[in-house]
Amino acid sequence: MCAIHQPNLFPRLSTLAKLFTADWWIVLDDVQFARRDYQHRARLAALDDPARQQWLTLPTHLPHGRPTLISQARLVDPHRSCRTVRLLVRQYYGRSPYWGAVSEVLDALDDSDRVADLARASTIALLSALGWTGKVRDSSEIPTRKGRSERLADLAAAVGSTHYLCGTGGLRYLDAGPFDARGIPVLPFHTPVDDPLWRWARRFSSLWALSRIGPDALADQLAAQREAHRCGADA
């Protein structure tokens, strides 16, 4: 299974669950950077009151203006950004009994000035903390056609995908035709709606869930979602 997603800074639980389900994460790093998206920012939720939230936003320079690609975006001050990340994340989750796991995620971040590197590293660190054993490849390394859905189908085919995991947002614009032509079924990815843990899954960073229930319990939750979607693929 393959998931294709832009690099997000400490991604939301819905995004993390989709990537955890996949065997391949293709990092969509050669599309236009969006200031209102999640490449350089994450919404943190208070440990005991998830309705209380704050943006963690890293000042970013776009060397080519609005057309700047995600891979080209640069942190204005990498060292200050790293300090901000550590201080604010500790402020929100330092009291968690699972702070050690959160701290290890922070320790895995590098000091690159590329926004894509930091976001990519934060996601891989979270996945690794939960026992993910998949593989990662950047879209910028793979030649594709120009059409949006054609391009995604080409990316999925490049890693030998048998299924393409598509979130609810992507389903609104995706044309399944190019995937059908390559024999790759599109598998919709949904997260639970009734479980309190997943209530805010599409809103704030999965750091909250990691701090709230710990890596073992969160890994079990994501493994259950993986199993459910794999059973759906086999049906």
Side-chain angles (χ1 to χ4, degrees):
M1 286 189 180
C2 167
I4 303 172
H5 205 280
Q6 298 171 7
N8 285 181
L9 181 65
F10 302 117
R12 296 163 292 166
L13 187 57
S14 57
T15 299
L16 195 71
K18 182 179 72 171
L19 300 182
F20 188 89
T21 298
D23 302 295
W24 277 94
W25 171 30
I26 298 181
V27 184
L28 198 60
D29 66 341
D30 54 354
V31 295
Q32 185 175 325
F33 179 90
R35 285 197 178 276
R36 293 187 178 275
D37 213 328
Y38 294 90
Q39 289 91 48
H40 71 311
R41 64 180 190 162
R43 186 184 274 116
L44 304 181
L47 190 60
D48 300 322
D49 181 13
R52 183 166 61 86
Q53 301 164 16
Q54 177 180 349
W55 281 108
L56 165 60
T57 303
L58 304 181
T60 299
H61 170 61
L62 305 183
H64 305 293
R66 288 190 62 185
T68 298
L69 303 181
I70 293 174
S71 60
Q72 298 169 333
R74 295 293 189 268
L75 295 171
V76 172
D77 187 337
H79 297 297
R80 184 173 183 178
S81 290
C82 285
R83 289 197 303 271
T84 299
V85 166
R86 291 183 178 277
L87 288 172
L88 196 54
V89 171
R90 188 178 188 94
Q91 175 185 327
Y92 268 74
Y93 305 121
R95 295 182 294 104
S96 166
Y98 307 107
W99 169 249
V102 178
S103 182
E104 288 183 7
V105 169
L106 299 180
D107 289 342
L109 303 183
D110 56 38
D111 57 359
S112 170
D113 69 335
R114 297 176 71 246
V115 173
D117 288 346
L118 184 62
R120 187 179 190 271
S122 74
T123 303
I124 293 174
L126 281 165
L127 290 167
S128 299
L130 302 173
W132 185 66
T133 57
K135 298 179 181 179
V136 181
R137 191 169 176 186
D138 293 335
S139 64
S140 54
E141 301 174 349
I142 304 172
T144 63
R145 291 171 289 174
K146 291 185 179 298
R148 177 182 287 183
S149 296
E150 288 81 2
R151 182 163 186 262
L152 295 177
D154 291 349
L155 291 173
V159 295
S161 301
T162 59
H163 294 81
Y164 171 59
L165 286 170
C166 187
T168 54
L171 287 171
R172 290 196 291 267
Y173 67 77
L174 189 76
D175 176 8
F179 289 88
D180 293 338
R182 286 188 169 273
I184 304 174
V186 175
L187 184 63
F189 187 85
H190 302 286
T191 53
V193 294
D194 298 326
D195 191 313
L197 179 71
W198 296 90
R199 178 185 175 191
W200 302 95
R202 294 180 57 80
R203 186 162 179 82
F204 51 66
S205 170
S206 50
L207 285 173
W208 177 82
L210 178 63
S211 301
R212 183 76 176 182
I213 66 174
D216 293 340
L218 184 55
D220 289 343
Q221 287 273 351
L222 298 193
Q225 295 307 307
R226 179 176 60 194
E227 183 63 22
H229 284 83
R230 288 182 180 271
C231 288
D234 294 336

